[in-house]
Amino acid sequence: MLFDVHTHNRDTESLAIVNCGLDDDFSRYRRFSLGLHPWDVDAHWREKLDAYRQLLENPPFDGFWNQLAAYGEIGVDKVRGVDLNTQIDCFEEQLMLAHRYDLPVVIHCVKAYEEVWCSLRNLLLPHPYPVIFHGFRGKPALAARLLRWNYGYLSFGPHFNADSLRLAYEAVRMFLETDDSGLSIGDVYSLASKALSISPAEIVVPGIFRL
């Protein structure tokens, strides 16, 4: 079974977690995620986050909690977005919101692993639950560091460091994703299978989601 842990493709027919915003008709997706992306954090982020809180407190349709698979993508981006402190404040607020509802977190992290790790260590390690670093392209040393935290998972798109992918797979902490690549999840599985020297059908991903 090919599973796409994170996609922006609204028309996907694959088994996937579709990343949505408040304006999306997420009721039509078998599984979806919600969260305030760091690129969308601005001077009004607290008001935006209140809208997410209201949505979680007042689910808009029957089956909402069966279909909501994760909170995210959220995170910190040093290349794009508002100032770093504002991004971190919003990220930490959302970590606690995800914790309140016992939702796995999908993390967007660009050149900010120290800051993200500090927030996770301070807020989540006392109450650990799954955290997926999506679109991971880091080197094996960084992958190994993130994998030492037993609740940390790495998700790989079509561009990845093969050694990092193998480390995550051997630790049973590897997911695959299409993100906004335009490729199918089958394409990504094929790329990963070559790095792992197994067939796409042999790839096994962690069973932390109800699918």
Side-chain angles (χ1 to χ4, degrees):
M1 178 176 63
L2 306 186
F3 171 49
D4 188 349
V5 78
H6 178 78
T7 186
H8 291 268
N9 180 3
R10 302 295 193 272
D11 298 316
T12 182
E13 296 182 357
S14 302
L15 179 59
I17 297 177
V18 179
N19 188 86
C20 293
L22 291 174
D23 295 330
D24 288 308
D25 180 16
F26 36 79
S27 64
R28 69 189 184 96
Y29 302 116
R30 179 175 174 181
R31 293 291 182 269
F32 66 93
S33 63
L34 286 171
L36 184 58
H37 194 288
W39 294 352
D40 296 323
V41 175
D42 56 23
H44 306 287
W45 70 268
R46 293 187 187 278
E47 291 93 332
K48 292 180 178 181
L49 195 50
D50 282 342
Y52 282 96
R53 288 194 182 93
Q54 288 296 320
L55 180 68
L56 294 172
E57 291 172 2
N58 302 283
F61 61 91
D62 291 339
F64 177 85
W65 288 110
N66 288 328
Q67 292 169 240
L68 178 59
Y71 194 91
E73 64 187 280
I74 64 175
V76 181
D77 191 324
K78 283 187 175 180
V79 174
R80 178 176 172 180
V82 297
D83 68 275
L84 185 62
N85 288 336
T86 299
Q87 288 193 50
I88 292 172
D89 287 346
C90 183
F91 175 55
E92 292 186 346
E93 288 274 351
Q94 293 192 93
L95 284 178
M96 297 312 295
L97 186 59
H99 178 255
R100 176 181 175 185
Y101 290 97
D102 196 28
L103 291 169
V105 176
V106 178
I107 291 182
H108 171 110
C109 183
V110 178
K111 299 184 183 299
Y113 282 97
E114 289 300 328
E115 290 81 3
V116 166
W117 180 252
C118 182
S119 295
L120 292 172
R121 184 180 64 235
N122 292 338
L123 296 176
L124 296 192
L125 286 184
H127 313 284
Y129 58 96
V131 170
I132 300 105
F133 288 88
H134 104 83
F136 188 79
R137 300 187 188 187
K139 295 180 180 179
L142 177 58
R145 180 183 178 192
L146 297 174
L147 292 170
R148 279 197 293 271
W149 186 40
N150 289 335
Y151 290 80
Y153 297 79
L154 305 181
S155 179
F156 299 85
H159 305 289
F160 54 80
N161 181 296
D163 290 331
S164 295
L165 183 140
R166 284 189 285 267
L167 277 176
Y169 188 73
E170 290 166 3
V172 197
R173 236 88 68 61
M174 183 205 78
F175 286 105
L176 297 172
E177 63 176 73
T178 58
D179 194 21
D180 58 359
S181 67
L183 297 178
S184 72
I185 191 61
D187 293 332
V188 180
Y189 267 71
S190 293
L191 292 168
S193 71
K194 293 176 183 177
L196 296 170
S197 299
I198 59 177
S199 72
E202 292 177 285
I203 293 176
V204 177
V205 298
I208 65 172
F209 295 104
R210 291 177 292 103
L211 303 175

